[in-house]
Amino acid sequence: QVQLVESGGGLVQPGGSLRLSCAASGSDFSINVMGWYRQAPGKERELVARIINGGTINYGDSVKGRFTISRDNAKNTVYLQMNSLKPEDTAIYYCNALIYLVRVGYTYDRWGQGTQVTVSS
């Protein structure tokens, strides 16, 4: 079983920055896609940013130009640098990975437990 462990959430003032991290741990796996989604109260979960093997990066429209996603393949870790944060960025941020289990040849979607990001003065 592959685990995703997130860190880096918290409270920040508007205009501030935060950096989220998500590390995948386990054995005999590879990651095809890794990224972040978020869910605000009363809203559906939405894509924030993701990195696809081969280097393709997708961002949600509301974070383009402010957030940057990066990945350290050696550490199976993905980072989300969030700058110029706005109150509307307040949400629970979830790490997501499309994981391939090498031994059984099986691909599945894995979610982290979520980390709260609150942007408020």
Side-chain angles (χ1 to χ4, degrees), residues 44-70:
E44 293 187 353
R45 192 172 294 190
E46 63 175 359
L47 172 70
V48 178
R50 65 181 182 182
I51 297 180
I52 302 170
N53 277 359
T56 299
I57 293 177
N58 301 130
Y59 289 101
D61 288 341
S62 62
V63 306
K64 287 179 181 177
R66 300 187 298 122
F67 291 10
T68 302
I69 190 170
S70 60

Side-chain angles (χ1 to χ4, degrees), residues 27-83:
S27 61
D28 299 318
F29 71 97
S30 63
I31 300 176
N32 298 330
V33 183
M34 200 167 185
W36 295 91
Y37 289 73
R38 69 186 183 186
Q39 188 166 18
K43 295 188 176 181
E44 293 187 353
R45 192 172 294 190
E46 63 175 359
L47 172 70
V48 178
R50 65 181 182 182
I51 297 180
I52 302 170
N53 277 359
T56 299
I57 293 177
N58 301 130
Y59 289 101
D61 288 341
S62 62
V63 306
K64 287 179 181 177
R66 300 187 298 122
F67 291 10
T68 302
I69 190 170
S70 60
R71 181 174 164 181
D72 184 333
N73 290 327
K75 296 182 179 179
N76 286 317
T77 299
V78 68
Y79 305 95
L80 184 69
Q81 178 65 43
M82 304 185 293
N83 298 328

Side-chain angles (χ1 to χ4, degrees), residues 2-7 20-25 31 33-39 45-50 69-71 76-80 92-99 109-116:
V2 176
Q3 302 294 326
L4 300 179
V5 179
E6 301 145 331
S7 61
L20 305 182
S21 300
C22 173
S25 62
I31 300 176
V33 183
M34 200 167 185
W36 295 91
Y37 289 73
R38 69 186 183 186
Q39 188 166 18
R45 192 172 294 190
E46 63 175 359
L47 172 70
V48 178
R50 65 181 182 182
I69 190 170
S70 60
R71 181 174 164 181
N76 286 317
T77 299
V78 68
Y79 305 95
L80 184 69
I92 299 175
Y93 284 68
Y94 295 92
C95 181
N96 173 260
L98 188 62
I99 293 170
D109 213 17
R110 183 71 174 168
W111 292 89
Q113 78 282 2
T115 185
Q116 178 70 47

